[in-house]
Amino acid sequence: MSFSDKIRTIYQEQLNAISEAGIFKKERFIHSRQAADIEVEYPEGAGLKKVINMCANNYLGLSSHPEVIQAAHEGLDSRGYGMSSVRFICGTQDIHRELEARMTEFLGTEDTILFPSCMDANAGVFEAILTDQDVMISDRLVHASIVDGIRLCSAMHDTFKHSNMDHLESKLQLHSDKRLKVVITDGVFSMDGDCAKLDEMVALCEKYDAMLFVDDSHSTGFIGKTGRGTHEKFGVLGKIDIITTTFGKALGGASGGCVSGRKEIVERCRQKARPYLFSNTIAPVVVSGVLKVLDILSGNTERRDKLERNSDYWRKGLTNAGFVLKEGDTPIVPVMLFNAKLSQDVSNDLYNEGIYAIGFFFPVVAKGQARIRTQISAGHEIHHLDKALEAFNKIGKKYDILGRSKQEIIEMYGL
Amino acid sequence: MSEEMKDIVLEYVIEEYLEDEDEEISYDTPLISGGIVDSFSMVSLKRFLENRYNISIPDDLATPEAFDTVTKITVLVDGFLK
C-alpha cells in the first residue's frame, strides 16, 4: 500500500496541530560527550555553541567517566557487541547475572532482573505479577512509564492524591476485599523533585497487607547516606517489595533498567514479563560500564556527597536571587514560571547566555505549572554553578520576576 | 431523583478529585470530559457509589459518558435503586 496523499494529509494535520499548540519538540544536537560542559548545535545548522548543561540526569557525573569508558571498552573486547538473542534463548552472559547480583546487593533486596530500559521494566512488571482479582493504587503524579504499565495490566486501578497518606489509607480500606494490593509511587518525582514518604507508606502497606512498588530512577546512586536510594533515606531498606530503577541516569547514563525486590516477584517477571521475554537485554558493553559504576560507588560516597553540596549551593543561590522554587532537597530544582510561553522565553534567553536548561509546560506538567527544571550533577564545579546563577539573575531581571511571588508572576504573565 | 444524592455525590467528587480548594464545580460540570476526573481515577467513584447505595454497576454501564456529571451519575444510580 502506498503512502497516499490522504494518509499524508492526516499526519500533516496532526503535526500542524502540535505546532500550533506550541508544543512541537525540537531536538538540540550535542556534538561532545555528555558532561557539564557540552557543545551544542541549535537550531539545526547553527554553529557549535559551548554551554553548561543544567538539565541532564547525569547526577553523579559518570556518563563520560574515564574508568567507565575504559571498562566499556574492555567489555566490548571480551564479550562482544551484541547478543542477537533474548535472555532465555542464548542472550544471557555471565556478566548479566553478575550485574543482577550486584544490583541486589546495592539495593538491599532479594533478587534482580535486568530489562532493556526502566520504561520496559515498568511496562512489564504489573502484568507479570497481578490479575483481575487484584488492585493497583498509584500516586497521581507517577511517571508515564508506570501509567503505561498499569494500562497493560488487568488488575483494577485506583489513584491517591499526590503524597497524601490519609487519602492512600482510605483507598487501602476501600479496596480491602481485593486479593493482592500494590501501592505504586516514584521514589523521587521527576518534575517536582520531591520524595515519596516511604516510611509512612511502608507502615500503611504493613497495616493493610499491601505490597509497595517504588520507581527509584531519579534516586538510585545518590539519595540516602550511601546512595542506595529513597528507601535508605527513609530508613526502610529491605522493606520495599518492588523497586524499579534505571542505568540511564546516575549509573552511567547509557541505557537499561531493572526490577529488584522479592525473589518471587523477580522470578515471576523472568517467566512472564513481556518486554523481558521478547526483547534483547542490555548490551554487554553497557553491562560492563554499569559494573564499573557500581565499583566506583561502592568504594566511597565522594560523588553523592559532592552532588548534595552542589544541590544545596544551587538551591540557595536561586532562592537568594528571588526565584520561586519547588521545595525539596534533591538535585532536581524546578524554577517556577507558571506561564508556558515565559518558560520557553526564559529557556531561550538562558541558552543565549550559555546555559542549557529546558522549559517544561502542559501536558508534561499541569496547566499553569510551567517551569525550568534544573538538574544538578556531581560533574558541576562551583564555577559552573556561579556562571549559571549569573545568567539566571540576568534573565530573571529582564523579565522582572526576581523577588516576585507566584501570584505576582501569574498577574504579570498569566497562566 | 433525590437532591440529597446529588449533594452526596458532589461532596465526594470535591473531596476525592479536587486539589485546589478554590475550584468550584456544580451538578452539571463535566467531570471526565472536563479533565477533573481522569478515567484512571473513575474506579473509586464507582466503588463509592456501589458501597454507599448497596448496588452493583456493571462495567459496561460505568462509561465515561455516564459518569461525566453529578446529575448523570445520580440518574444512573437512581436506575438501580428503583
Side-chain angles (χ1 to χ4, degrees), chain A residues 115-149:
Chain A
F115 277 79
S117 68
C118 191
M119 168 93 206
D120 282 325
N122 288 340
V125 62
F126 302 113
E127 192 197 16
I129 64 168
L130 301 173
T131 72
D132 58 7
Q133 300 174 63
D134 309 322
V135 66
M136 305 171 280
I137 306 171
S138 65
D139 187 289
R140 286 188 183 158
L141 291 190
V142 292
H143 190 259
S145 57
I146 294 177
V147 173
D148 284 1

Side-chain angles (χ1 to χ4, degrees), chain A residues 140 147 150-151 156-159 161 167 171 174-175 177-178, chain B residues 12 14-19 38 40-41 43-44 47-48 51:
Chain A
R140 286 188 183 158
V147 173
I150 287 168
R151 284 188 175 134
M156 177 181 276
H157 176 239
D158 201 354
T159 58
K161 292 180 185 179
H167 200 221
K171 292 305 176 79
L174 178 69
H175 300 296
D177 57 329
K178 288 293 178 181
Chain B
Y12 179 81
I14 290 170
E15 179 82 8
E16 171 69 22
Y17 298 109
L18 296 193
E19 299 283 350
D38 67 53
F40 255 26
S41 305
V43 65
S44 55
R47 292 212 103 189
F48 165 76
N51 291 346

Side-chain angles (χ1 to χ4, degrees), chain A residues 16-90:
Chain A
N16 290 342
I18 296 173
S19 286
E20 280 158 23
I23 53 175
F24 194 91
K25 290 180 275 298
K26 285 188 190 137
E27 295 176 0
R28 305 179 186 199
F29 306 139
I30 298 174
H31 287 244
S32 54
R33 291 177 172 183
Q34 184 63 281
D37 295 298
I38 51 174
E39 289 186 352
V40 181
E41 172 194 342
Y42 181 76
E44 192 171 355
L48 295 189
K49 185 175 172 70
K50 288 186 178 176
V51 294
I52 296 172
N53 193 347
M54 298 299 292
C55 56
N57 298 316
N58 184 19
Y59 296 112
L60 292 170
L62 292 171
S63 302
S64 305
H65 190 282
E67 286 180 40
V68 177
I69 292 170
Q70 178 63 29
H73 276 298
E74 287 165 12
L76 193 56
D77 290 340
S78 68
R79 298 296 192 287
Y81 173 69
M83 291 308 299
S84 303
S85 169
V86 299
R87 285 285 294 265
F88 77 94
I89 299 178
C90 55

Side-chain angles (χ1 to χ4, degrees), chain A residues 235-310:
Chain A
V236 289
L237 274 166
K239 294 190 173 179
I240 311 298
D241 304 293
I242 311 157
I243 296 172
T244 60
T245 192
T246 181
F247 307 121
K249 295 185 168 55
L251 303 186
S255 66
C258 66
V259 172
S260 192
R262 305 299 180 197
K263 59 180 191 287
E264 295 82 358
I265 299 278
V266 169
E267 195 53 46
R268 203 50 211 171
C269 287
R270 221 176 276 287
Q271 301 303 320
K272 290 284 177 188
R274 295 172 70 83
Y276 178 82
L277 291 172
F278 300 115
S279 176
N280 287 10
T281 191
I282 309 167
V285 56
V286 175
V287 174
S288 304
V290 180
L291 285 169
K292 178 52 71 178
V293 166
L294 292 175
D295 286 344
I296 293 170
L297 298 189
S298 300
N300 61 64
T301 59
E302 207 176 289
R303 300 190 84 83
R304 60 84 53 208
D305 296 345
K306 184 180 176 192
L307 173 61
E308 195 168 70
R309 287 195 303 276
N310 279 354

Side-chain angles (χ1 to χ4, degrees), chain A residues 151-167:
Chain A
R151 284 188 175 134
L152 290 167
C153 178
S154 61
M156 177 181 276
H157 176 239
D158 201 354
T159 58
F160 63 96
K161 292 180 185 179
H162 178 52
S163 277
N164 184 325
M165 294 299 108
D166 291 338
H167 200 221

